Amino acid sequence: MDEALTTLLDAEQAAPEQVRHYYLSRELVIGWIRGTRGRPSQPVADLARRFRIVDS
């Protein structure tokens, strides 16, 4: 997940609107959140907030 997360964060910096609204990007973040026991890592939680997958 670390490499995928890094790649997604890099892509978000280059084209934030495209990445935030792209179906597969959103599915990745949802999968990471669902697959985590307890709280997700801070970068994943922040990404989920920016994607408006979770509330602030």
Side-chain angles (χ1 to χ4, degrees):
M1 175 175 81
D2 291 339
E3 190 174 335
L5 178 58
T6 299
T7 301
L8 190 57
L9 291 170
D10 289 344
E12 184 191 22
Q13 281 191 334
E17 291 299 316
Q18 288 181 345
V19 173
R20 287 181 193 144
H21 298 292
Y22 186 59
Y23 173 79
L24 290 178
S25 299
R26 297 179 63 78
E27 287 300 309
L28 270 175
V29 175
I30 290 168
W32 291 332
I33 290 172
R34 289 182 179 164
T36 303
R37 290 186 177 177
R39 291 182 171 198
S41 68
Q42 194 62 49
V44 172
D46 292 343
L47 196 57
R49 276 188 216 93
R50 289 194 301 275
F51 282 22
R52 294 194 172 126
I53 293 171
V54 296
D55 293 328
S56 299

